[in-house]
């Protein structure tokens, strides 16, 4: 991997990680269309350490309160009633599905799941799911002529059941094209949570899973065409870009819908299918380049 490739891929990782459009799919697509070798699951996982560092800094006050309360809850029954301590436990509970499935399907994640036809399918399907969930949220907030406005849930109302369901939704992001934020936000909206609440928990839930995945994949960096220097450069760049994207995205969802992302996902998926059918790009493009 050249330094220019690492610059482009780090930029793409930072721009797409927290938007519901799938960073892993975009890394795979950019490499395929540029004629570069697929950066692979290990490169994606390690550069995500940079984007999750942006989450740690952006939500540092929230995370600091959660960690402090969680540690107190380990030896104090009364402290377990603190909503922040409860959130800490729920993040752990929600991280179980992706941890188990990530280890169970490691070979598929690094191989068959990176087929461009599967990526096109997941882009379209999850785009439709996100669109339906977003319309439901908008309908509840707006009400109607014969329907009262429905108050949506905040994170204070998060239950163990909902935490596990969030975690199952996050685990779907092991397949490139699904999108971690897209899957978890959709799950949250279907369970009746507000847009901001669904996005905030999505970001918090991603921290342990992504950091663990990145650390687990560190051993694979340096093997093959992915070297340490370009990977670290891409990780730092992804951190800088992702921090700006988080700030923008949290402002966006407080007043806007997810429909632009829905349209983009479906259009990209359809365009990818058309290009594969026309022979412009093969479903395994980049896997044997270089």
């Amino acid at each position: 991997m050249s330094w220019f490739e690492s610059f482009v891929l780090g930029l793409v990782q930072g721009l797409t990680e927290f938007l519901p459009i799938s960073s892993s799919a975009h890394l795979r697509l950019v490499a395929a269309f540029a004629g570069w070798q697929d950066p692979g699951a290990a490169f994606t996982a390690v550069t995500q350490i940079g984007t999750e560092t942006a989450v740690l800094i952006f939500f540092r006050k929230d995370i600091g309160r959660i960690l402090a309360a969680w540690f107190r809850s380990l030896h104090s029954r009364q402290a377990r009633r603190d909503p922040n301590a409860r959130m800490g436990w729920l993040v752990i509970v929600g991280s179980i599905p992706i941890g188990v499935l990530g280890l169970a399907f490691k070979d598929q994640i690094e191989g068959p799941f990176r087929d461009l036809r599967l990526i096109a399918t997941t882009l379209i399907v999850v785009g439709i799911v996100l669109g339906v969930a977003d319309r439901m949220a908008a309908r509840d907030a707006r009400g109607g002529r014969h329907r009262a406005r429905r108050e949506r849930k905040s994170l204070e109302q998060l239950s163990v059941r909902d935490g596990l369901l969030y975690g199952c939704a996050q685990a779907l992001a092991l397949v490139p094209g699904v999108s971690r934020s897209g899957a978890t936000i959709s799950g949250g909206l279907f369970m009746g949570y507000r847009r901001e609440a669904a996005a905030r928990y999505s970001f918090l839930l991603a921290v342990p899973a992504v950091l663990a995945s990145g650390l687990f994949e560190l051993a694979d960096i340096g093997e093959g065409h992915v070297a340490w220097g370009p990977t670290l450069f891409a990780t730092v760049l992804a951190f800088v870009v992702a921090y700006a994207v988080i700030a923008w995205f949290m402002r966006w969802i407080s007043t806007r819908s997810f429909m632009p992302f829905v349209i983009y996902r479906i259009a990209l998926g359809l365009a990818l299918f058309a290009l594969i059918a026309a022979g412009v790009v093969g479903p395994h493009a980049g896997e044997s380049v270089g």
Side-chain angles (χ1 to χ4, degrees):
M1 177 181 289
S2 70
W3 290 96
F4 178 70
E5 287 178 54
S6 70
F7 171 79
V8 173
L9 296 176
L11 185 62
V12 170
Q13 172 64 34
L15 285 171
T16 59
E17 172 66 18
F18 299 114
L19 302 181
I21 56 176
S22 179
S23 62
S24 57
H26 280 76
L27 289 175
R28 177 77 177 91
L29 292 176
V30 168
F33 283 102
W36 302 335
Q37 189 168 345
D38 180 3
F43 176 86
T44 301
V46 173
T47 54
Q48 284 176 336
I49 294 177
T51 53
E52 289 312 308
T53 302
V55 172
L56 292 174
I57 295 176
F58 189 86
F59 292 107
R60 60 189 179 279
K61 293 182 180 178
D62 290 353
I63 293 173
R65 286 193 297 267
I66 290 170
L67 286 175
W70 182 80
F71 278 113
R72 287 196 300 269
S73 74
L74 294 176
H75 54 78
S76 171
R77 180 174 297 180
Q78 185 174 0
R80 292 169 196 163
R81 300 174 185 173
D82 186 328
N84 287 310
R86 191 165 176 274
M87 178 58 67
W89 286 109
L90 288 172
V91 168
I92 293 173
V93 168
S95 300
I96 293 172
I98 197 170
V100 173
L101 294 176
L103 290 173
F105 292 96
K106 185 177 186 297
D107 291 340
Q108 288 78 9
I109 293 166
E110 296 176 348
F113 285 2
R114 302 184 74 80
D115 187 307
L116 295 182
R117 292 166 297 190
L118 177 59
I119 290 175
T121 301
T122 53
L123 282 169
I124 295 169
V125 171
V126 177
I128 293 171
V129 171
L130 179 61
V132 172
D134 190 62
R135 290 295 296 271
M136 287 177 56
R139 184 183 60 187
D140 288 346
R142 184 175 60 248
R145 186 174 180 181
H146 303 291
R147 183 180 64 252
R149 292 177 66 248
R150 178 188 172 194
E151 187 65 28
R152 299 205 129 227
K153 294 186 284 188
S154 66
L155 284 186
E156 285 70 27
Q157 297 168 277
L158 187 66
S159 64
V160 173
R161 168 188 167 276
D162 288 355
L164 273 174
L165 289 175
Y166 260 114
C168 291
Q170 178 181 235
L172 295 175
L174 292 169
V175 181
V178 170
S179 168
R180 187 187 309 274
S181 63
T184 51
I185 289 172
S186 295
L189 293 178
F190 276 122
M191 288 186 284
Y193 287 89
R194 300 170 189 161
R195 286 193 182 98
E196 304 94 311
R200 185 174 292 267
Y201 186 63
S202 171
F203 289 163
L204 294 175
L205 186 61
V207 172
V210 170
L211 292 180
S213 174
L215 293 173
F216 182 77
E217 295 284 3
L218 281 175
D220 291 337
I221 301 298
E223 298 182 0
H225 76 293
V226 180
W228 268 105
T231 301
L232 291 176
F233 175 62
T235 301
V236 173
L237 180 60
F239 157 72
V240 174
V241 176
Y243 188 89
V245 170
I246 295 172
W248 173 83
F249 188 60
M250 293 304 293
R251 288 195 300 271
W252 169 277
I253 60 174
S254 63
T255 57
R256 310 285 186 88
S257 79
F258 291 112
M259 290 311 295
F261 303 111
V262 171
I263 294 169
Y264 174 78
R265 288 184 64 104
I266 295 174
L268 180 60
L270 292 174
L272 183 54
F273 268 130
L275 291 170
I276 293 172
V280 175
V281 63
H284 303 288
E287 292 183 3
S288 59
V289 174

